[in-house]
Amino acid sequence: MLAAAGWWVAAVLLIPAADRPYIGGSATNNILQLTFGYNGFGRLNGNEAGAVGGGAAGHGVAATGGTSGLTRLFAADMGGQVSWLIPAALIALAALLWGTRREPRTDRTRAAALLWGGWLLVTGAVFSYMAGIIHSYYTVALAPAIGALAGIGAVQLWRVRDGWRLHERSWFGRGWLAAGVAVTAWWSYVLLDRTPAWHPWLRVVVPLAGLAAAALLLAGRWLSPAAGAARARVALLAAPASLAHVAVLAGPAAYSLDTAATPHAGALPTAGPAVTAFGGPGGFAGPGRSGPGGGFGRGGGFGRGGGFGAGGPGGGFGGRTGQGVPGTGTGGFPGGFPGGFRSGVPGGFGGRGGGLGGNTQVSSALTALLKNGASGYRWVAATVSSNGAAPLQLASGDSVMAIGGFNGTDPAPTLAQFERYVADHEIHYFVGANADSFGGGSGTAPQITAWVRAHFSAQAVGGETVYNLTAPASS
């Protein structure tokens, strides 16, 4: 690890701070602070001091990951995102390790089980118990291990369904396969039952297919000798295999199709329908899927001029619409965000468009304004946070300055630097979402926004507040 990544850290530290870009997310312009704080060990112990976390992140509930503990990956916040095949993967791991216990040290099946099993257990334990910021999409890191174990286990156990190289009794393969299918079908039913109105027929088909497949797998040992005709023998193989595929894959396949067919926006994607989550700050939901107290709505996340707002201590995330009330929970970001969490009413988790970035649509009028004369400027616009800048840059195809870095909290650029850029006519416009974009923030963002408001006139373009930085306001 030191050889692969340490050289980059060393190179950054050896370059004088004045001669390199600001280290985003740090409070002291030091890459080691990210390593040992907000973006490193702080994710594990919750001590996320830095420009983003602002201090200790409250032990337990962290961002969109739910309460830490052994069951986190199976709870409402993450269960439907990753846990469908975790039972099958764990059963396969146990079966593979037991079945290869007498094999030579170089056995490839056992090596694969140890590799993928170690990946699953270690990564799963980290995600389950980390006390810092965590989002449900992080669990994509578990997918390779889950898929490999489930696939290798299914194929190997099917091959030895009547005994593992004479080391085990004839029920070994069939028993483990039946257990994997039955447990996975049951768990799929539990996950589907969290959204009872969403394709309710799946909650009937999946458990029935699982029970039938498990029964046929177990009965096949005694039925096979009695099946004289070739067609009967093929049917005894095809029937449990087909039913097992339905029981194990119908749920996650439905989630995948639903996700692919639904437009997404924002920086915190989730799969499948909204699921009722924990109470308190209200959970998270996307457009058209949020319940009362919905958390992130369509305009969720950081707005154009984002940054930190004037919410209560530990306030939630704001958005372009500014409809929420300031959050009041603990362990959040100092000062909160404009809009904030809607507190106290259970909401949904999942859906689309929620999270950082929220509504990423940019009006045609604003896009045309940014493109007009773009070649004459280094940046066609500036706005607070990269989440606010990204939609503008994608729409215009030109560079947009993200004041304060990722979420507007980095002290870069400084007010003096920004004033110099404006004086040199390097920035054309300053773009903010609404009044909530101003007066919030940390680092230098509030200084810059206050200076812009004091020296330039605002105009509304496509629902956005825009300042022409080449035309100072008349005094």
Side-chain angles (χ1 to χ4, degrees):
M1 182 177 293
L2 289 176
W7 67 268
W8 184 85
V9 175
V12 172
L13 291 173
L14 291 173
I15 298 174
D19 298 328
R20 58 171 165 78
Y22 186 87
I23 305 301
S26 70
T28 59
N29 196 14
N30 192 320
I31 186 63
L32 293 181
Q33 187 181 47
L34 293 186
T35 304
F36 296 102
Y38 153 69
N39 229 17
F41 294 131
R43 296 293 179 107
L44 302 179
N45 59 27
N47 184 19
E48 300 184 278
V52 175
H59 189 82
V61 177
T64 62
T67 304
S68 60
L70 186 62
T71 61
R72 172 185 269 177
L73 296 178
F74 302 93
D77 308 280
M78 292 186 174
Q81 309 302 300
V82 72
S83 71
W84 299 88
L85 297 181
I86 288 182
L90 293 176
I91 290 173
L93 174 61
L96 291 172
L97 292 178
W98 181 260
T100 58
R101 70 191 187 282
R102 299 176 184 174
E103 301 300 325
R105 180 181 58 84
T106 56
D107 182 73
R108 297 179 62 182
T109 301
R110 182 172 56 213
L114 291 172
L115 169 66
W116 297 113
W119 180 332
L120 174 61
L121 295 177
V122 172
T123 307
V126 170
F127 287 162
S128 296
Y129 288 98
M130 60 189 289
I133 295 173
I134 183 173
H135 301 295
S136 59
Y137 71 85
Y138 290 3
T139 57
V140 70
L142 293 169
I146 294 172
L149 285 172
I152 294 172
V155 171
Q156 184 64 25
L157 290 172
W158 181 258
R159 288 174 176 170
V160 299
R161 58 188 179 275
D162 294 319
W164 192 306
R165 302 179 186 176
L166 303 179
H167 293 165
E168 307 297 340
R169 296 181 181 274
S170 58
W171 55 263
F172 181 84
R174 292 182 180 274
W176 282 101
L177 282 173
V181 171
V183 172
T184 302
W186 164 77
W187 182 241
S188 294
Y189 172 83
V190 172
L191 294 176
L192 293 168
D193 195 48
R194 292 174 179 174
T195 52
W198 186 76
H199 301 303
W201 57 271
L202 282 171
R203 291 183 294 126
V204 178
V205 172
V206 167
L208 289 180
L211 288 174
L216 287 174
L217 283 168
L218 294 175
R221 181 72 182 97
W222 294 275
L223 295 177
S224 295
R231 289 185 177 181
R233 290 194 297 271
V234 171
L236 283 176
L237 298 177
S242 300
L243 289 169
H245 277 82
V246 172
V248 171
L249 299 179
Y255 258 54
S256 299
L257 292 173
D258 178 79
T259 304
T262 306
H264 287 63
L268 300 180
T270 55
V275 178
T276 300
F278 50 85
F284 309 85
R289 296 195 177 187
S290 58
F296 293 133
R298 178 169 175 75
F302 294 110
R304 290 279 183 267
F308 288 85
F317 293 88
R320 297 184 57 192
T321 58
Q323 299 297 316
V325 298
T328 57
T330 59
F333 295 87
F337 292 84
F341 280 124
R342 302 180 184 186
S343 60
V345 184
F349 183 88
R352 328 293 178 209
L356 309 181
N359 189 345
T360 58
Q361 299 300 312
V362 177
S363 70
S364 58
L366 180 57
T367 301
L369 181 71
L370 297 179
K371 288 183 175 181
N372 185 26
S375 60
Y377 299 89
R378 183 177 178 183
W379 296 282
V380 296
T383 192
V384 177
S385 87
S386 60
N387 290 283
L392 300 176
Q393 184 158 322
L394 290 172
S396 66
D398 295 295
S399 298
V400 176
M401 176 187 289
I403 299 172
F406 177 65
N407 67 349
T409 60
D410 296 338
T414 64
L415 176 58
Q417 289 173 325
F418 189 82
E419 290 180 357
R420 185 167 64 250
Y421 291 140
V422 173
D424 293 340
H425 295 280
E426 295 193 70
I427 311 173
H428 199 174
Y429 297 103
F430 184 96
V431 181
N434 48 52
D436 287 337
S437 300
F438 300 99
S442 61
T444 59
Q447 301 172 21
I448 292 173
T449 54
W451 180 81
V452 169
R453 294 186 70 183
H455 292 84
F456 300 90
S457 299
Q459 59 178 314
V461 180
E464 310 283 1
T465 304
V466 181
Y467 294 77
N468 186 343
L469 301 182
T470 65
S474 302
S475 56

